Amino acid sequence: MHNNQPNIEDRIIAFAVIGFWSILILFGLISFAAPAWLVNLSNPGKHSEALDLKHMGDQLLRSKKYRQAAANYKRALEIKPDLNAAAGNLGIVYSKLGRMEDALETFEYALALNPEIPHTSYHNMAEIYEKTNRLDEACHYYELCTKTEPLPAYAYAKAGAIHLKRKRFAQAIDAFNNSLDSRQSMLQLYRGMLLKEKYGRSNTSDERSHIDKLLEQSSLPGALDAYDTLVFNWGLKWDHEIAKTYSYMGNAYTQSGNLNQAISNYKKALKIWPEFRDAKQNMEIVANLREQFQQKQQSP
């Protein structure tokens, strides 16, 4: 007669099998529940993989392989949806591909991810609206840039150019003046460079804390001595962007009927850039108009 009772070895094997399947089921339930400790444990690997895909996308973007770049950025965002740099670059790729609405939507997403540093998204959205001839929207976002951009001279100038196209001459002149003020102030330039550095640091870094202390100062530090100021002011005398801004201001004054101010601004542009053809031609035209107007005033 055979003994059907399992021996000790069989029982050990049975317990081992049951234990093995219990562990698998337990891990399956844990994974399904996704507790915080498990998510945190897996995050470093996911973050590294997403960054690798983002860096590959950057290389493809520089090589103008836009479709392949988009695929890498989208895959990176699937792995790590809060990877702001990938979202911003995906928006740039979409704009390069002519997918303007997708680009705008992506920049909105990037803005939601990083609302404390909005100027990059604002700038990119402004450029898309300008390219698609939605000038009022473009002007709105350029003006948002002027309030958030560390170095706002360009955004002021772009907003001014759109106001000029819309024949909003007073607003154009204000924007151009603000552009000149922000470009010609060494203190503003210094603070803008500090802000750009600050935005590139983590919130808890010692460097960011030190930058905040520097930004609290109301004057240039002693390290920027008189020699630096002299070099800065010398450079302004040859800055073609400043010459262009003066010329645009001349156009605004011309169209608003203030010919004396128009000529004054054209002269400032030509003092910086004597070969500036547009400023030279416009000044000659306006000078002739002023002369004709004065002759009419003097005639009986």
Side-chain angles (χ1 to χ4, degrees), residues 114 117 119 150 193-203 205 207-208 211:
N114 199 8
I117 309 176
H119 58 273
M193 296 302 293
L194 285 177
L195 282 170
K196 288 180 78 70
E197 281 295 315
K198 174 182 175 178
Y199 293 151
R201 310 285 179 172
S202 67
N203 291 335
S205 69
E207 292 89 348
R208 185 157 181 155
I211 289 170

Side-chain angles (χ1 to χ4, degrees), residues 56-266:
M56 289 172 62
D58 293 345
Q59 292 176 5
L60 291 163
L61 174 57
R62 286 191 289 269
S63 301
K64 299 183 179 181
K65 298 178 181 178
Y66 300 130
R67 296 186 189 281
Q68 297 96 314
N72 277 272
Y73 291 136
K74 286 193 284 186
R75 179 65 184 131
L77 289 167
E78 287 172 6
I79 296 170
K80 191 167 176 54
D82 62 345
L83 190 56
N84 182 61
N89 285 357
L90 178 60
I92 292 171
V93 167
Y94 280 145
S95 68
K96 297 289 187 183
L97 291 170
R99 296 170 57 177
M100 298 307 189
E101 296 307 316
D102 288 333
L104 287 171
E105 185 177 336
T106 306
F107 288 131
E108 288 279 10
Y109 178 70
L111 182 61
L113 287 178
N114 199 8
E116 293 182 358
I117 309 176
H119 58 273
T120 301
S121 292
Y122 288 156
H123 177 87
N124 286 318
M125 294 169 74
E127 285 195 333
I128 289 174
Y129 281 124
E130 188 175 12
K131 287 176 184 176
T132 54
N133 205 35
R134 288 176 277 183
L135 297 183
D136 289 334
E137 291 91 339
C139 190
H140 170 69
Y141 279 99
Y142 280 128
E143 288 180 336
L144 287 177
C145 279
T146 66
K147 297 176 174 66
T148 56
E149 167 67 51
L151 300 169
Y154 177 80
Y156 274 123
K158 293 294 288 186
I162 293 173
H163 283 310
L164 183 56
K165 283 184 181 179
R166 290 297 202 210
K167 300 188 182 304
R168 299 189 288 253
F169 304 125
Q171 290 165 281
I173 291 166
D174 283 343
F176 292 137
N177 273 319
N178 285 329
S179 178
L180 289 169
D181 288 343
S182 60
R183 190 181 291 276
Q184 293 175 316
S185 166
M186 189 170 178
L187 177 59
Q188 286 196 36
L189 180 64
Y190 167 73
R191 292 176 63 83
M193 296 302 293
L194 285 177
L195 282 170
K196 288 180 78 70
E197 281 295 315
K198 174 182 175 178
Y199 293 151
R201 310 285 179 172
S202 67
N203 291 335
T204 57
S205 69
D206 292 337
E207 292 89 348
R208 185 157 181 155
S209 176
H210 182 65
I211 289 170
D212 282 332
K213 290 179 181 177
L214 291 173
L215 286 168
E216 291 173 2
Q217 299 176 3
S218 59
S219 60
L220 290 168
L224 294 173
D225 56 23
Y227 173 76
D228 296 308
T229 304
L230 182 66
V231 171
F232 176 77
N233 290 332
W234 182 83
L236 294 178
K237 295 179 180 180
W238 314 104
D239 191 327
H240 286 189
E241 292 305 316
I242 292 177
K244 290 176 185 178
T245 304
Y246 277 126
S247 182
Y248 275 121
M249 195 132 64
N251 295 345
Y253 277 118
T254 298
Q255 293 184 52
S256 65
N258 192 334
L259 303 186
N260 289 331
Q261 280 292 340
I263 291 172
S264 173
N265 278 278
Y266 290 134

